[in-house]
């Protein structure tokens, strides 16, 4: 009723569950016609209510705030075709503050870098068309050091797809 999706019919809405639900619908042939039936204004209002004044997103009402929230919220909005300047305000600045001295991204400002959080950071910046804002040289070093294979392969895909060859090396 609040515009987001929960993990099951009686669960509260959660930004990650919303992203999962929209991704599943979008993966159906012709979207199964379901994406056109989403109450886009309700979804938009739900996502905007999760955005914090610093550009971060809480994952659910009064819930944790980390880089997954930014990625899941913006990816959900992109899938639904409701990504806006208002929703994106301050997000790139907040995500960039999550990039650590070693080049990866932590779940929140000041946290240790992790492969999955790095994926969320890189993907969020790609959605915002802010890929050039991150410290690519440090990110490249971090990607060579970590062992979270799934996330890192996707990080590398973003790096190689969206960055100039002379930067990637």
């Amino acid at each position: 009723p609040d515009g987001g999706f929960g993990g099951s019919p009686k669960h509260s809405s959660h930004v990650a569950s919303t992203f999962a639900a929209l991704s599943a619908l979008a993966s159906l042939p012709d979207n199964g016609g379901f994406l056109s039936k989403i109450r886009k204004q309700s979804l938009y209002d739900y996502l905007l209510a999760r955005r914090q004044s610093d550009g971060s997103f809480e994952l659910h009402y009064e819930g944790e705030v980390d880089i997954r929230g930014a990625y899941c919220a913006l990816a959900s909005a992109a899938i639904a075709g409701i990504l806006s300047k208002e929703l994106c305000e301050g997000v790139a600045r907040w995500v960039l503050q999550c990039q650590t001295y070693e080049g990866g991204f932590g779940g929140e400002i000041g946290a240790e870098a992790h492969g999955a959080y790095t994926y969320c950071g890189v993907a969020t910046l790609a959605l915002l068309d802010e890929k050039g804002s991150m410290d690519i040289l440090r990110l490249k070093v971090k990607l060579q050091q970590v062992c979270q294979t799934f996330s890192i392969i996707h990080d590398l895909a973003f790096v190689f797809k969206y960055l100039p060859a002379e930067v990637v090396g």
Side-chain angles (χ1 to χ4, degrees), residues 8-9 44 71-72 81 95 98-99 106 119 122 140 145 155 158 164:
S8 73
Y44 183 81
Y71 171 66
C72 290
V95 168
C98 294
Q99 189 170 24
Y119 170 79
V122 172
K140 200 169 134 181
Q145 296 173 346
D155 292 339
F158 273 113

Side-chain angles (χ1 to χ4, degrees), residues 1-19 38-51 58-63 82:
D2 63 1
F5 289 82
S8 73
K10 294 187 179 186
H11 286 191
S12 299
S13 296
H14 193 281
V15 175
S17 298
T18 299
F19 170 63
I38 291 172
R39 296 184 330 259
K40 290 184 179 186
Q41 187 61 53
S42 293
L43 174 61
Y44 183 81
D45 293 343
Y46 170 74
L47 294 173
L48 190 59
R50 302 289 67 82
R51 190 175 65 74
E58 62 184 2
L59 283 147
H60 56 90
Y61 177 69
E62 294 185 356
I82 58 172

Side-chain angles (χ1 to χ4, degrees), residues 67-154:
I67 205 164
R68 296 172 302 151
Y71 171 66
C72 290
L74 296 190
S76 295
I79 290 168
I82 58 172
L83 197 58
S84 71
K85 285 184 179 184
E86 181 182 33
L87 197 59
C88 297
E89 186 178 333
V91 177
R93 184 180 64 253
W94 185 83
V95 168
L96 288 167
Q97 291 179 69
C98 294
Q99 189 170 24
T100 70
Y101 71 93
E102 58 195 354
F105 288 79
E108 55 192 40
I109 298 169
E112 180 183 6
H114 182 280
Y117 291 141
T118 298
Y119 170 79
C120 289
V122 172
T124 301
L125 293 172
L127 286 166
L128 294 167
D129 199 25
E130 291 280 349
K131 302 160 299 280
S133 301
M134 66 185 122
D135 188 333
I136 299 301
L137 296 178
R138 286 189 305 160
L139 175 62
K140 200 169 134 181
V141 170
K142 178 64 176 173
L143 295 178
Q144 293 168 353
Q145 296 173 346
V146 296
C147 61
Q148 294 95 357
T149 307
F150 173 81
S151 300
I152 298 309
I153 288 171
H154 288 86

